[in-house]
């Protein structure tokens, strides 16, 4: 049997086989440099293979620069691809080069994790190529040897245990040694125990490497830098997306850590994921009796999933930068148009204000004229009434004097000639004549006053019409002015919002593409604060935003 033949290899044969495999991989050019210190945790990671995943380059958008510099050729391919060739260094200048190289550095870290993970898998499954068939074949050999061990125990009426932890493997080996079981089985299971222990240690180290070199950098650098006080749909959407990536990665990371921790005492099989490979080995292996066989494939699958999610996160971050750049261009264009509209509307508002003010002054002038005419009219009516009263009094006085003249005439006709009475009568006649003249003048004055009243009354009617028209005109203009002012206020608010959004977008752009911030990706000490140049740039943008 092939399995028995493989299990019967001596440790010397296996070492020579691995050495030969390593030499083949080294000559193929796929081998990565091994750690210099053999005692470190990373030195226990497996060796590389021929078909390791190649480093993936960032996607490119045609004619769009994620950093706003527009340095990408307009003739670039429109297809989004992670495998597209890197642009020449001369084409990736300035902040664009810094930003894209920062993302490529992160992708390189993911690629390193995937390369090391592939090496772990190749060493664990003891194969020369990465294929599910090779992996399954190794697990089938393990399954057969575990079955052989259980058969030996069953022959001696020993209790069989589910092999779901390292301690179960140790217990099984101890029982087989005590019962003098099949030597090939014992040797194979001993090698498997050493293999899975070494692989578990490597996976722990690799998981820590992923968390330290990939996840922590993503959480620190591939973020939105969004100020929640300013509503930016593009940033809100990006924040929601990366929150989903972060939640998924942290959940998988936690489950993987728990699973690795449970390796010694008893695996948390409830944390196993259902994958195509797990369904496949479920048929070819007895996973109910030996769930340990599913352990490594599940952990490696989880790490691969986290790497895929991390790569999606980086791709989303790059897309976010393209979106930010486009939004800056669009918002800047819209803001400029709205600011031009605002200036035009303010001039129009000023002209309307002058018209309203002129209409109001005309209304006030007409009101003052009307008030003056009403005062004059009241004065004339008072004069008319006074003159009429005076006329009445003089008329009554005249009648009295005429009655006295008539009485004296009768008296003189009946008596002797009386000089005193004649003089008195003559005087009364003179007074009557004077009163007649005075009454004539009063009549003229009354006529004049009445004519003046008629004129003023006509003027009053005309001015009342003017005031009414002025009030209607002013009310209409004032209503239009109020509506225009309301629209102008809305336009000012819109311009303010657009300016705030533009400022926020530019600040995000400054953060995302700043060499000072991107330098933090490259193992920059966490104690180093934001560089003064970046602070000054952001403060300058905010000052420009404040109204003068």
């Amino acid at each position: 049997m092939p399995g028995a033949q493989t299990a019967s290899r001596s440790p010397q044969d296996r070492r020579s086989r691995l050495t030969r495999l390593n030499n083949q991989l080294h000559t193929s050019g796929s081998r990565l440099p091994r750690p210099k210190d053999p005692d470190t945790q990373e030195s226990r990671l497996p060796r590389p293979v021929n078909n390791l995943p190649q480093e993936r380059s960032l996607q490119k958008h045609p004619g769009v620069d994620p950093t706003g510099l527009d340095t990408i050729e307009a003739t670039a391919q429109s297809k989004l691809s992670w495998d597209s060739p890197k642009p020449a260094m001369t084409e990736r200048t300035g902040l664009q080069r810094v930003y894209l190289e920062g993302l490529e550095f992160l992708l390189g870290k993911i690629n390193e994790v995937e390369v090391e993970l592939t090496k772990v898998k190749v060493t664990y499954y003891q194969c020369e190529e990465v294929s599910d068939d090779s992996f399954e074949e190794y697990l089938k050999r393990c399954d057969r040897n575990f079955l052989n061990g259980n058969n030996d125990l069953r022959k001696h009426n020993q209790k069989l245990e589910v092999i779901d932890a390292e301690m179960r493997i140790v217990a099984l080996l101890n029982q087989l040694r005590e019962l003098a079981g099949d030597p090939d089985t014992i040797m194979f299971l001993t090698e498997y125990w050493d293999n899975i222990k070494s692989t578990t240690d490597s996976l722990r180290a690799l998981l820590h490497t992923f968390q330290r070199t990939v996840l922590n950098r993503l959480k620190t650098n591939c973020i939105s830098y969004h100020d929640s006080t300013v509503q930016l749909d593009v940033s809100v959407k990006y924040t929601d997306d990366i929150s989903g990536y972060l939640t998924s990665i942290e959940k998988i990371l936690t489950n993987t850590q728990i699973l690795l921790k449970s390796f010694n005492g008893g695996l948390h099989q409830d944390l196993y994921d259902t994958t195509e490979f797990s369904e496949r080995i479920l048929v070819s292996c007895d996973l109910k009796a030996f769930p340990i066989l599913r352990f490594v494939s599940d952990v490696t699958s989880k790490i691969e999933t986290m790497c895929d999610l991390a790569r999606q996160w980086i791709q989303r971050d790059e897309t976010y930068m393209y979106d930010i750049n486009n939004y800056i261009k669009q918002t800047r264009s819209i803001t400029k148009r709205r600011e031009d509209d605002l200036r035009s509307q303010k001039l129009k508002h000023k002209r309307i204000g002058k018209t309203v003010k002129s209409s109001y002054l005309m209304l006030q002038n007409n009101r003052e004229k009307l008030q003056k005419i009403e005062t004059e009219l009241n004065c004339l009516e008072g004069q008319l009434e006074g003159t009429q009263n005076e006329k009445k009094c003089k008329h009554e006085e005249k009648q009295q004097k005429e009655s006295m003249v008539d009485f004296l005439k009768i008296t003189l006709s009946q008596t002797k000639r009386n000089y005193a009475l004649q003089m008195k009568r003559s005087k009364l006649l003179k007074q009557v004549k004077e009163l007649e003249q005075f009454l004539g003048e009063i009549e003229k004055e009354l006529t004049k006053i009445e004519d003046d009243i008629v004129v003023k009354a006509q003027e009053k009617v005309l001015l009342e019409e003017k005031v009414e028209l002025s009030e209607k005109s002013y009310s209409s203009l004032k209503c239009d002015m109020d509506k225009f002012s309301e629209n102008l206020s809305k336009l000012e608010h819109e311009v303010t919002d657009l300016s705030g959004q533009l400022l926020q977008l530019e600040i995000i752009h400054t953060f995302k593409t700043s060499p000072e911030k991107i330098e933090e990706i490259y193992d920059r000490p966490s104690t180093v604060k934001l560089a003064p140049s970046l602070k000054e740039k952001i403060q300058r943008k905010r000052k420009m935003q404040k109204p003068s």
Side-chain angles (χ1 to χ4, degrees), residues 67-83:
T67 60
L69 298 179
D70 296 330
T71 54
I72 295 180
E73 292 285 339
T75 57
Q77 296 180 358
S78 61
K79 181 180 179 182
L80 301 182
S81 173
W82 286 97
D83 298 321

Side-chain angles (χ1 to χ4, degrees), residues 260-313:
L260 287 169
K261 191 175 181 180
S262 66
F263 168 69
N264 295 327
L267 295 174
H268 283 271
Q269 299 180 49
D270 56 309
L271 299 180
Y272 279 161
D273 295 329
T274 300
T275 62
E276 183 179 351
F277 185 71
S278 69
E279 294 287 346
R280 182 171 175 175
I281 61 174
L282 183 62
V283 177
S284 56
C285 300
D286 188 355
L287 296 183
K288 288 185 178 180
F290 316 119
I292 193 75
L293 297 177
R294 189 177 170 184
F295 169 68
V296 172
S297 64
D298 188 82
V299 172
T300 55
S301 174
K302 284 178 167 61
I303 296 177
E304 287 171 346
T305 301
M306 287 190 289
C307 288
D308 288 339
L309 289 171
R311 186 173 284 106
Q312 292 176 38
W313 187 338

Side-chain angles (χ1 to χ4, degrees), residues 452-470:
D452 289 343
I453 287 175
V454 170
V455 172
K456 292 296 180 184
Q458 290 176 347
E459 291 181 0
K460 179 183 177 182
V461 171
L462 292 175
L463 278 173
E464 284 177 341
E465 291 177 354
K466 282 186 177 181
V467 168
E468 183 179 359
L469 290 174
S470 297

Side-chain angles (χ1 to χ4, degrees), residues 393 396 421:
C393 291
E396 290 176 354
L421 289 176

Side-chain angles (χ1 to χ4, degrees), residues 171-298:
L172 176 61
L173 285 171
N174 290 335
Q175 286 179 301
L176 291 175
R177 289 190 181 104
E178 290 175 1
L179 298 174
D182 180 40
D184 290 341
T185 300
I186 294 175
M187 178 176 290
F188 183 92
L189 294 180
T190 302
E191 289 182 354
Y192 176 76
W193 174 41
D194 182 67
N195 186 15
I196 196 170
K197 277 198 306 179
S198 175
T199 301
T200 302
D201 291 339
S202 298
L203 290 174
R204 286 196 184 101
L206 190 57
L207 195 65
H208 176 72
T209 300
F210 173 83
Q211 186 175 8
R212 178 175 54 83
T213 64
V214 177
L215 182 58
N216 291 346
R217 283 186 168 100
L218 288 175
K219 290 164 65 176
T220 303
N221 297 280
C222 293
I223 55 178
S224 66
Y225 295 105
H226 177 223
D227 183 358
S228 58
T229 59
V230 181
Q231 182 67 20
L232 291 176
D233 292 340
V234 63
S235 294
V236 172
K237 180 66 169 63
Y238 171 75
T239 302
D240 291 342
D241 289 345
I242 65 172
S243 296
Y245 295 139
L246 177 60
T247 301
S248 298
I249 291 174
E250 288 185 335
K251 181 180 179 181
I252 297 172
L253 180 65
T254 302
N255 290 343
T256 308
Q257 290 170 337
I258 294 173
L259 202 55
L260 287 169
K261 191 175 181 180
S262 66
F263 168 69
N264 295 327
L267 295 174
H268 283 271
Q269 299 180 49
D270 56 309
L271 299 180
Y272 279 161
D273 295 329
T274 300
T275 62
E276 183 179 351
F277 185 71
S278 69
E279 294 287 346
R280 182 171 175 175
I281 61 174
L282 183 62
V283 177
S284 56
C285 300
D286 188 355
L287 296 183
K288 288 185 178 180
F290 316 119
I292 193 75
L293 297 177
R294 189 177 170 184
F295 169 68
V296 172
S297 64
D298 188 82

Side-chain angles (χ1 to χ4, degrees), residues 131-170:
S131 71
D132 287 348
D133 292 338
S134 300
F135 299 162
E136 183 183 14
E137 182 61 33
Y138 175 71
L139 293 180
K140 286 165 69 175
R141 293 203 308 271
C142 296
D143 181 72
R144 285 195 297 270
N145 280 276
F146 275 121
L147 286 174
N148 291 338
N150 278 354
N151 289 334
D152 286 344
L153 295 181
R154 193 177 291 109
K155 291 176 183 178
H156 294 83
N157 296 323
Q158 296 292 317
K159 182 181 178 182
L160 302 181
E161 298 286 350
V162 175
I163 309 301
D164 61 352
E166 180 188 12
M167 59 179 294
R168 299 294 187 189
I169 300 175
V170 174

